[in-house]
Amino acid sequence: NCKYCHNKVEQLYHQERYKRKFCLSHPHNVFKCEYGNFCSFAHSENEIQIELLHNLKKDESFYLYKYKTVFCPYIYEHDRNQCVYAHNPQDYRRDPVQFKYNPIQCTFWSQNQIFSYEEGACPHGMQCEQCHGWKELEYHPLYYKTKPCNNGKKCNKRDCPFYHSNAERRETRPNSQLSQTL
């Protein structure tokens, strides 16, 4: 009745890990994978057991509700700053539709490097009604693109959560339809 895995095989085939990352041989050398059909990693997008954010349209709705809400399926080295997936608990955002939280920084949440969500030190964990980390705050549906970017037109961040012109600026109201969906 032990709740922990007892060996590497149990870890790799656990339902929370199985086919949630791509195999190192993905996408061009899957035929070279020594484990073949028994590989616990996905060889194609059809096998992966997570939502693939990189296939979604990168519009306002994407940044409000999907950006950084899934851990990265790629195990090879890549530019994490340009990646739409989360790479650690500080980078991760809870889905703002599923988890109701306000655009206020949680005073319990650790600002230091943490290796698991539990190390964030918030006693409420995933159910906390405040933001855990700056990405949850800055990409929150009631906060995103409502403040001007400090770098203005010189900003080179592709996914900047602040507005650079009035055309990008979003108006949100606490009683708006958007906040009612939260």
Side-chain angles (χ1 to χ4, degrees), residues 26 34 49 54 68 70 76 82 107 123 126 135 167-168 173 178:
H26 174 267
E34 64 181 292
Q49 298 295 311
H54 66 269
K68 302 285 186 180
V70 174
Y76 56 79
Q82 299 296 318
T107 56
M126 295 287 278
K135 284 200 177 131
E168 281 187 349
R173 292 175 201 89
L178 173 66

Side-chain angles (χ1 to χ4, degrees), residues 46-80:
N46 292 336
E47 283 186 355
I48 198 90
Q49 298 295 311
I50 63 164
E51 182 178 16
L52 293 175
L53 302 181
H54 66 269
N55 289 336
L56 301 176
K57 183 179 176 186
K58 310 301 182 290
D59 58 7
E60 183 178 275
S61 181
F62 173 81
Y63 288 103
L64 292 173
Y65 302 109
K66 295 297 183 181
Y67 184 67
K68 302 285 186 180
T69 58
V70 174
F71 280 95
C72 188
Y74 298 105
I75 57 178
Y76 56 79
E77 198 57 42
H78 62 285
D79 186 352
R80 294 175 176 204

Side-chain angles (χ1 to χ4, degrees), residues 131-143:
C131 292
H132 288 169
W134 67 270
K135 284 200 177 131
E136 277 196 3
L137 175 64
E138 292 179 354
Y139 289 90
H140 190 283
L142 295 176
Y143 194 92

